[in-house]
Amino acid sequence: MAYDVEKPDEQWRAELTPAEYQVLRQAGTEPAFVGEYTDTKTEGVYSCRACGADIFTSDTKFESHCGWPSFYDPKDSDAVELIEDRSHGMVRTEVRCSNCGSHLGHVFAGEGYDTPTDQRYCINSISMRLSPAES
């Protein structure tokens, strides 16, 4: 897929920290329960750390106790790209930023959470930046 933001690998490496690069550009996962936004209750908008596109809002964030920030819906239906992921001997759905193609996490359905969509977007904190809502 062609993205609005495309950069050579060397530029991504220069702009992101090694940990950010590993998650965003190499589809890595940060360790559970250590992410900056796992337990935050701050209201605002979560954007892609790589390109700044708005991805999620605090209105759809919920407590899943899975170790990563969880959302039940992206900010806009076209904010994310969903891709089948058959790595690690399982079938999952990868979530990428539709603006730059960066890996954000995975989405799971039918887990029984009391959310309007019955989905859990399990997103790496390191893949996002939170802009707090203005009071």
Side-chain angles (χ1 to χ4, degrees), residues 23-93:
V23 170
L24 289 159
R25 305 308 303 170
Q26 296 183 310
T29 302
E30 68 187 349
F33 300 103
V34 300
E36 177 180 7
Y37 304 124
T38 302
D39 297 318
T40 187
K41 306 275 193 259
T42 304
E43 293 183 11
V45 175
Y46 292 85
S47 60
C48 174
R49 194 172 293 240
C51 73
D54 291 348
I55 305 291
F56 296 99
T57 65
S58 58
D59 294 345
T60 63
K61 189 172 188 285
F62 70 99
E63 294 292 331
S64 69
H65 308 286
C66 71
W68 294 273
S70 296
F71 302 85
Y72 61 80
D73 213 14
K75 184 176 187 298
D76 296 306
S77 60
D78 60 354
V80 297
E81 174 185 20
L82 303 178
I83 299 171
E84 184 177 281
D85 176 1
R86 293 184 168 267
S87 64
H88 306 291
M90 62 182 99
V91 179
R92 302 179 291 174
T93 303

